[in-house]
């Protein structure tokens, strides 16, 4: 399964314990500009990932190029993680095609509206979600796979 998720925590327990088994992914791709240039953070995140799962750290704009090279002849069996909706949009605009975007965790902060227990949005986030709506990407608001989709509205 090729699964794309926004979660500002990137690698954490829910990813390892629920999303990896649900997606049956053999690879986790962390697409984040800060982490791709920080070997220490990669090492720390890598400690949480089971040894039988491949882990790749790429810059956001290189995600499509990496996926195109690595999965040119086979269906990707990958869980791609972005820390923000804006990063997911940047990758999509660079050619990373996906039909669904899971919005797992977007922390509350000043100027943000809480739309469900795990997602708070500001104007940039709403603009980003509108972009995905306009490009026929389904939005899936769930923290863990066994929850129902929690938000269904237009942006």
């Amino acid at each position: 399964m090729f699964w794309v998720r926004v979660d500002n925590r990137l690698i954490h327990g829910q990813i390892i314990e629920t999303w990896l088994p649900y997606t049956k992914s053999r690879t986790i791709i962390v697409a984040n500009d800060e982490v791709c240039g920080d070997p220490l953070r990669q090492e720390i995140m890598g400690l949480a990932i089971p040894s039988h799962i491949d882990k790749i750290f790429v810059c956001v704009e290189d995600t499509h190029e990496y996926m195109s090279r690595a999965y040119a002849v086979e269906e990707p069996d990958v869980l791609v993680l972005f820390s923000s909706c804006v990063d997911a949009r940047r990758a999509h605009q660079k050619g990373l095609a996906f039909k669904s975007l899971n919005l797992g965790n977007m922390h509350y902060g000043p100027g943000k509206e809480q739309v469900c227990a795990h997602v708070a949005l500001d104007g940039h986030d709403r603009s980003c979600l509108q972009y995905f709506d306009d490009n026929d990407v389904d939005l899936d608001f769930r923290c863990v796979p066994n929850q129902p989709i929690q938000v269904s509205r237009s942006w």
Side-chain angles (χ1 to χ4, degrees), residues 25-107:
S25 297
R26 293 177 295 165
T27 303
I28 292 177
I29 296 177
V30 176
N32 182 274
D33 292 343
E34 293 175 18
V35 176
C36 85
D38 189 337
L40 180 59
R41 285 183 70 190
Q42 292 176 22
E43 184 73 25
I44 292 168
M45 286 185 180
L47 292 172
I49 300 172
S51 60
H52 67 281
I53 303 295
D54 293 328
K55 52 191 171 292
I56 308 295
F57 298 92
V58 297
C59 291
V60 170
E61 295 200 5
D62 298 334
T63 309
H64 172 62
E65 183 180 327
Y66 175 80
M67 293 284 296
S68 296
R69 275 187 286 116
Y71 302 99
V73 294
E74 64 183 85
E75 184 72 22
D77 193 5
V78 174
L79 172 58
V80 179
L81 298 171
F82 294 99
S83 66
S84 71
C85 187
V86 172
D87 283 354
R89 180 177 61 194
R90 286 175 48 215
H92 191 267
Q93 290 172 328
K94 290 292 270 185
L96 182 67
F98 47 89
K99 291 279 193 194
S100 177
L101 178 64
N102 171 240
L103 296 147
N105 199 46
M106 298 169 69
H107 282 295

Side-chain angles (χ1 to χ4, degrees), residues 102-120:
N102 171 240
L103 296 147
N105 199 46
M106 298 169 69
H107 282 295
Y108 180 80
K112 289 191 165 198
E113 175 193 0
Q114 196 81 37
V115 296
C116 65
H118 55 92
V119 175

